[in-house]
Amino acid sequence: MFEGRPNRGAEIVFCGRSNVGKSTLLRELTGHDFQTGQKPGVTRSPGHYDWNPEDFVLTDLPGFGFMSGVPDEDRERIKTDVVQYIETHAEKILVGVLVIDGKSAVDIIDRHTERGDIPHDVELFDFLRDVGIPTVVAVNKMDKVDDRDERLNAICERLGLPSPWQQWQDTIAPVSAKRGSIGPLTDAIGSHLHEQKRDDLLKFF
């Protein structure tokens, strides 16, 4: 189990597969440099961005799924640790942000489904909602996607949300972290914070 979480009463967690751009997204949000790397699986323990003196922390959970050079049992352990972390702190987590790669997510989900597996992204989305955490899917790398609406509709359908995607703007946030285009994500997070009467945290987004 991960150690070293700051003692904070409120948290937003970022999770998702390796190499989907979580750390870049967090850097764009906070101006703080999270550990990033070209190789998947660089982030192996959570990164916490702690806003002193606010009772609030942003957490970058390790990526999971395929990582070149990482044994299967290590990958499984990381995924288990991520799930346990979310479960343990669920009451304090105001929003869970699942980051996916807009260009490849549908293909990856379909590949797993065809093999009879539950795709990680779908599993994590359902899990966040099952433990009562308001969930936003940050669909990253949208600058590389041509058929934007079709792709976002397909992602919604894979996650069990009826299309069109536009009716899910509190849940589906198309972004391009590298280009600094993250408005839909900050809007979605802001709406969930407002619903939970945490307007004091809106200044961070």
Side-chain angles (χ1 to χ4, degrees):
M1 183 64 178
F2 302 132
E3 303 292 330
R5 179 189 182 275
N7 184 19
R8 294 283 176 251
E11 180 173 11
I12 292 180
V13 297
F14 284 71
C15 52
R17 289 177 167 281
S18 302
N19 249 19
V20 293
K22 284 193 311 303
S23 301
T24 308
L25 195 54
L26 277 153
R27 188 170 60 226
E28 199 56 47
L29 266 174
T30 63
H32 177 75
D33 217 352
F34 283 75
Q35 185 183 14
T36 58
Q38 293 302 311
K39 285 176 70 175
V42 166
T43 312
R44 300 290 276 278
S45 57
H48 298 288
Y49 189 61
D50 193 2
W51 267 283
N52 253 337
E54 306 284 344
D55 186 23
F56 173 60
V57 65
L58 268 189
T59 300
D60 179 17
L61 290 170
F64 52 78
F66 174 74
M67 301 171 221
S68 89
V70 179
D72 284 354
E73 61 268 25
D74 288 358
R75 292 204 300 249
E76 278 307 307
R77 196 186 66 248
I78 289 169
K79 191 177 140 195
T80 302
D81 285 349
V82 166
V83 166
Q84 283 181 345
Y85 182 95
I86 292 169
E87 209 159 27
T88 303
H89 302 294
E91 286 184 8
K92 295 177 177 177
I93 298 173
L94 302 174
V95 185
V97 180
L98 171 61
V99 186
I100 66 174
D101 181 332
K103 197 160 191 277
S104 62
V106 172
D107 293 338
I108 291 171
I109 289 170
D110 288 352
R111 203 158 58 232
H112 280 266
T113 305
E114 281 158 18
R115 288 206 305 250
D117 300 333
I118 298 172
H120 291 326
D121 298 310
V122 176
E123 190 178 15
L124 200 50
F125 178 72
D126 289 342
F127 171 68
L128 285 163
R129 294 177 20 134
D130 284 348
V131 295
I133 297 171
T135 305
V136 178
V137 180
V139 187
N140 196 19
K141 308 186 185 183
M142 285 304 292
D143 51 305
K144 298 180 178 173
V145 172
D146 298 328
D147 49 349
R148 179 186 169 86
D149 288 341
E150 278 174 50
R151 186 66 56 96
L152 291 167
N153 285 342
I155 287 167
C156 276
E157 284 156 18
R158 303 308 188 276
L159 295 174
L161 304 172
S163 54
W165 74 271
Q166 287 90 340
Q167 66 185 312
W168 301 104
Q169 302 212 13
D170 285 356
T171 306
I172 301 291
V175 296
S176 172
K178 273 201 166 155
R179 302 225 167 156
S181 170
I182 60 169
L185 175 61
T186 54
D187 289 349
I189 291 173
S191 70
H192 289 299
L193 292 176
H194 180 67
E195 275 169 29
Q196 295 173 79
K197 302 189 167 43
R198 290 307 304 261
D199 288 3
D200 56 309
L201 299 177
L202 293 177
K203 60 180 181 261
F204 299 122
F205 302 98

